[in-house]
Amino acid sequence: MALIVQKYGGTSVGTVERIQNVARRVKKRRDAGDDVVVVVSAMSGETNRLIALASEITDTPDPRELDVLVTTGEQVTIALLSMALQAIGCDARSYTGAQVRILTDSAHGKARISDIDDVRVHADLKAGRVVVVAGFQGVDEHGNITTLGRGGSDTTAVAMAAALKADECQIFTDVDGVYTTDPRVEPRARKLDRITFEEMLEMASLGSKVLQIRSVEFAGKYNVPLRVLSSFEEEGEGTLITFEEEGVEAAKISGIAFNRDEAKLTIRGVPDQPGVAYEILGPIGDANIEVDMIVQNIANDGTTDFTFTVNRGEFAKAKAILEQIASELGAREVIGDDKIVKISLVGVGMRSHAGIASKMFETLSKEGINIQMISTSEIKISVVVDEKYLELGVRALHEAFGLDREEG
Ligand code: ASP
Ligand code: MG
């Protein structure tokens, strides 16, 4: 007998019929003798609908009240799912985040879980019930309702699994697993049977939006085996996200991630002296703008060029700040480009295989794709290219690294 945490996302509980379908799946697992805790999202579109209601009143809703509002979405689904379970003879009980006591800090809209009280959940499981928990929400030490950030139900599920020491955390979603790349860009993308936490983090942070990033961090930290499965297919093992296994030779490359939301900024002709990087990036950081890649050229005339990438949505704001800095530093000019994308090869096998980077650059050059920036980490090589090359670049790399699905 195992203890399983299952999470169903918005599309999986998008209609009453689908909720009844989830109930049948949960019951099947329960009937097989396992203890089941279910975490659900709001019905698809509901969270957006609630946010839109708030924005009809104000552009700057009070974060505390916004959290009170948006958490109602999940409160609806836990009640409906519990009723659907009871209706088919499966004893079940629902809990909001505050009722479980998923304790968080007070950062409304992006709260972090600090503790989970598992007493009630264990008591219900012992009494033979399925426990249905509202995802995405918690409560702070003053009793205020908080939320964990968009997509936060994944993190609720992993955190519950960690707290309950569950055998597996299963994330049911509208895809049947994690793919080598986005199948909408490369139809020959292949489902992976396994991927490591580290690789999944890179894939997720680069825009493969299968799981909320924080949930993967959490799973890695607490060693919670995490499985992504389709909620619409009965069969299939999905993708298991787990630790790198000793002795098993890792594939060189597990996948190709990309991010369209990129923009780059360059400040040219800044004095090449200590403190300049700080003077440039300090105010950008103070404005809460996240910087990703950073490149500084070598200087030959006492000045240097400094380039970095930011999220496309923050391009205008970052550019205005940089122009201010440029005039203070006496820099030559600020140039920017918000028509760029980032493409990355991800794979733990890179650690033990040489020549991956050169093969990547060769592949892109054969397609006539100019590389604007490069960055590397132990298990990832990223390039910035013009956005018009995104599809071409991803497909060429997918084929070159042998990731294409075998035609059958
Ligand atoms: N309902 C929330 C959202 O749409 C949380 C979740 O679905 O995970 O972001
Ligand atoms: Mg989601």
Side-chain angles (χ1 to χ4, degrees):
M1 197 178 96
L3 170 53
I4 306 292
V5 174
Q6 297 191 331
K7 180 256 170 179
Y8 293 89
T11 31
S12 312
V13 294
T15 62
V16 166
E17 213 177 27
R18 286 185 177 178
I19 290 173
Q20 288 170 317
N21 200 36
V22 167
R24 276 191 291 275
R25 280 196 94 128
V26 171
K27 180 171 189 291
K28 212 165 119 188
R29 190 83 208 200
R30 175 79 203 111
D31 288 348
D34 294 329
D35 282 336
V36 189
V37 173
V38 190
V39 174
V40 282
S41 295
M43 294 167 85
S44 58
E46 180 62 9
T47 310
N48 289 341
R49 188 186 72 85
L50 294 166
I51 293 170
L53 283 180
S55 63
E56 279 181 38
I57 296 176
T58 168
D59 288 338
T60 51
D62 177 358
R64 181 188 183 279
E65 301 313 325
L66 191 61
D67 278 354
V68 173
L69 176 68
V70 295
T71 49
T72 60
E74 273 74 10
Q75 189 165 335
V76 170
T77 41
I78 55 169
L80 291 176
L81 179 58
S82 300
M83 289 175 200
L85 282 162
Q86 290 165 7
I88 55 173
C90 185
D91 198 5
R93 191 172 272 181
S94 71
Y95 290 95
T96 65
Q99 285 176 316
V100 174
R101 210 147 190 277
I102 297 177
L103 194 68
T104 72
D105 60 23
S106 303
H108 287 289
K110 50 171 193 280
R112 284 184 176 267
I113 296 173
S114 49
D115 192 33
I116 292 183
D117 184 351
D118 58 2
V119 175
R120 287 167 141 187
V121 177
H122 272 305
D124 279 318
L125 292 175
K126 212 167 158 220
R129 291 187 192 104
V130 168
V131 177
V132 182
V133 176
F136 176 55
Q137 55 182 262
V139 64
D140 75 1
E141 56 175 340
H142 310 293
N144 298 303
I145 293 174
T146 55
T147 61
L148 311 177
R150 296 307 303 269
S153 299
D154 294 340
T155 299
T156 304
V158 173
M160 288 298 301
L164 298 166
K165 297 185 179 59
D167 295 286
E168 194 167 287
C169 180
Q170 305 179 333
I171 308 282
F172 288 86
T173 177
D174 45 4
V175 293
D176 63 351
V178 179
Y179 276 70
T180 49
T181 195
D182 186 338
R184 284 168 300 191
V185 168
E186 172 51 271
R188 282 178 296 180
R190 196 158 38 80
K191 182 178 79 68
L192 295 160
D193 293 331
R194 309 171 73 96
I195 186 170
T196 67
F197 289 118
E198 273 178 292
E199 289 169 322
M200 189 60 208
L201 271 179
E202 296 290 2
M203 297 289 276
S205 65
L206 291 162
S208 309
K209 293 183 183 70
V210 186
L211 290 172
Q212 196 200 32
I213 293 174
R214 209 185 280 171
S215 73
V216 183
E217 282 168 4
F218 217 104
K221 188 165 163 200
Y222 294 98
N223 195 11
V224 177
L226 192 58
R227 193 182 290 278
V228 176
L229 297 145
S230 164
S231 54
F232 302 116
E233 285 167 27
E234 292 290 325
E235 303 296 318
E237 299 286 297
T239 301
L240 182 65
I241 304 159
T242 179
F243 276 108
E244 199 173 340
E245 258 185 276
E246 302 256 346
V248 178
E249 204 193 343
K252 280 188 207 164
I253 299 300
S254 288
I256 297 167
F258 57 83
N259 191 353
R260 297 180 200 268
D261 299 328
E262 300 273 336
K264 73 171 182 184
L265 285 156
T266 301
I267 177 166
R268 305 195 49 195
V270 284
D272 187 26
Q273 62 198 35
V276 164
Y278 173 62
E279 276 174 69
I280 295 169
L281 293 179
I284 299 281
D286 292 343
N288 257 319
I289 297 171
E290 239 179 87
V291 170
D292 180 21
M293 287 193 202
I294 304 170
V295 173
Q296 190 195 315
N297 284 353
I298 46 162
N300 48 22
D301 62 351
T303 74
T304 180
D305 297 345
F306 196 94
T307 303
F308 57 92
T309 61
V310 296
N311 205 290
R312 210 176 273 187
E314 298 189 306
F315 177 66
K317 188 169 151 200
K319 189 153 185 268
I321 294 170
L322 201 57
E323 269 153 8
Q324 176 66 32
I325 298 166
S327 73
E328 281 163 21
L329 289 176
R332 205 155 49 233
E333 62 175 336
V334 169
I335 50 176
D337 184 353
D338 64 351
K339 300 273 181 291
I340 57 158
V341 293
K342 181 166 74 172
I343 302 177
S344 309
L345 288 185
V346 177
V348 290
M350 251 179 233
R351 290 196 188 111
S352 48
H353 290 91
I356 305 260
S358 64
K359 182 168 174 184
M360 179 182 198
F361 305 151
E362 182 194 7
T363 305
L364 295 172
S365 85
K366 274 189 187 152
E367 301 293 340
I369 300 174
N370 184 41
I371 300 169
Q372 302 180 11
M373 292 170 84
I374 300 168
S375 83
T376 63
S377 78
E378 227 192 334
I379 64 160
K380 177 184 74 172
I381 307 168
S382 304
V383 295
V384 164
V385 300
D386 190 304
E387 67 175 8
K388 71 180 179 222
Y389 294 129
L390 179 96
E391 279 76 13
L392 180 63
V394 168
R395 287 182 198 147
L397 292 169
H398 200 267
E399 190 185 350
F401 285 92
L403 296 174
D404 285 0
R405 181 160 40 87
E406 280 164 38
E407 305 296 336

